Amino acid sequence: MTALAATGCGGASDAPPAKPHGKTPNAWTYGYAAKDLNSSGVNIAAVSADDAWAIAVQPVTGQIDNQTMTLLRYDGTSFRPQKPPPGIETSKGGSYRLEASSPDDVWLFQSRMETGLYIAHWDGTRWKQVAAPDGITGVSDVAVLGPDDTWVANGTDSIRHWDGARWTVMSLPAPVEFLAGKPGGDVWASGRTEDAEDRLAYGGPVVLHRDGKTWKREHLPAVVPPAGLSASLGVSPMALYAPAPDDVWAISRLAGEDDNGDAVYLKPFALHWDGTRWSKASPDDCGPCGVPAGDTVLTATGMHGDNGDGDTVLFSPRHRPAHGTPRKIGRPPYTAGHSGKVTATDRKQKLRLREITSIPGTSEVWGIGSITLEGHGDANFSRAVILRYAAGAAK
């Protein structure tokens, strides 16, 4: 697989990355590497093999809370900076969310605590600002199922729906943070309870289902904490992956404190819907879903690749063939630091992925995040990157 031409946030091409680390044939390759050494990639949405959007951010000098946003678009050859949508505050910080259902149905959300939620829609030709729904300043997740079917969650017990002309607010039986669904199909939402539930003092798992008419809370198997920790644990919000009506996954982990008051993060667990009932499962059985290291489960929607034979990519990140054991995806080549060369110190850099998404119609998955070097004084850097991996290529 050939890496895409890398361009900087200002449009200038970067030097080719250094030679790969070690001899790992199943490794990420670069699709984009920012020239700016104080940047990070935060979100990506792909609608085809030659049409994708992404967002990178750079801190504003002297303003610790503000960041400059760069909107990027892939045209089949390279990612190039784009003119921002009208009305967006590109240097005010906040969080961003890109989601799309087709080349002419792309949504951009900017959550801004001070000035409220900003929304823009790409119709295939131009960006147009869309009035935000009342009552929220940010979003936790978005599901774009079509031009007249977009859902927005914000971590509360209400959800917003766009029908192509206006927003409607719907009450939910429980607060939710994550969404999943397919165009023309059912919609799923997940989160956790605000109060203690069963033996979970800090909140239990929640999954809601909409069959086209109403939202209903699903009856899930009980999550039983280990002995000795039953009074001080709760679950992370349930991340969702719903590739089919009879194949829905919810993944989380128990988190809390032990008897000494120290933080505890236990092994992730999974629940699976087979079209008839929910049952307990291993996260490893949900090849497409995956969870990252650490104490947070990222949204599972789109975090997979399928080459038609069942090959999948885990967020670990590992590649799990349809037949065989999971294998680690090798890190991409080292990138040069401030000297313009890869020094011995630069070789201590790390890859931090924020999101993985499948590329429709291909066996590829792309990841967005940053290559970082930390703890080395003036040598430290953070470079926004977009990486590629062909899930079906390595056997």
Side-chain angles (χ1 to χ4, degrees), residues 195-216:
D195 302 317
E197 181 164 306
D198 295 330
R199 295 168 61 187
L200 299 173
Y202 296 160
V206 169
V207 174
L208 307 182
H209 177 223
R210 181 176 175 83
D211 59 5
K213 296 181 180 180
T214 59
W215 285 97
K216 295 181 180 180

Side-chain angles (χ1 to χ4, degrees), residues 234-392:
V235 301
S236 300
M238 303 292 290
L240 280 178
Y241 176 65
D246 59 355
D247 187 20
V248 181
W249 293 83
I251 298 181
S252 182
R253 72 173 68 225
L254 286 167
E257 300 175 349
D258 62 18
D259 295 336
N260 297 321
D262 297 325
V264 174
Y265 303 105
L266 301 183
K267 184 178 180 180
F269 65 89
L271 304 176
H272 180 250
W273 170 256
D274 63 6
T276 302
R277 67 185 183 92
W278 286 92
S279 61
K280 295 180 180 179
S282 167
D284 290 337
D285 294 333
C286 179
C289 304
V291 293
D295 62 353
T296 303
V297 177
L298 297 186
T299 306
T301 304
M303 292 167 62
H304 74 291
D306 193 332
N307 70 343
D309 296 324
D311 280 10
T312 56
V313 167
L314 305 185
F315 194 89
S316 301
R318 294 176 293 160
H319 175 217
R320 174 177 165 179
H323 304 286
T325 59
R327 60 178 69 110
K328 182 179 179 181
I329 301 176
R331 57 152 291 130
Y334 289 118
T335 65
H338 291 281
S339 68
K341 300 179 181 180
V342 178
T343 66
T345 298
D346 291 333
R347 290 179 177 271
K348 297 178 182 180
Q349 62 193 238
K350 297 180 180 180
L351 168 63
R352 300 185 183 279
L353 287 177
R354 294 284 297 272
E355 184 182 13
I356 291 178
T357 187
S358 59
I359 307 305
T362 76
S363 65
E364 286 197 26
V365 292
W366 293 1
I368 189 168
S370 58
I371 299 290
T372 66
L373 181 68
E374 301 171 349
H376 294 278
D378 292 341
N380 291 348
F381 69 85
S382 175
R383 167 174 279 155
V385 294
I386 298 172
L387 305 177
R388 300 174 59 169
Y389 178 79

Side-chain angles (χ1 to χ4, degrees), residues 14 20 39 48 54 110 116 121 145 176 188 219 228 233 247 344 353:
D14 286 347
S39 62
S48 72
Q110 181 188 30
H121 180 258
L145 309 183
V176 299
W188 300 83
H219 179 70
L233 287 177
D247 187 20
L353 287 177

Side-chain angles (χ1 to χ4, degrees), residues 175-191:
V176 299
E177 294 197 29
F178 298 129
L179 300 167
K182 292 289 186 180
D186 296 353
V187 188
W188 300 83
S190 65

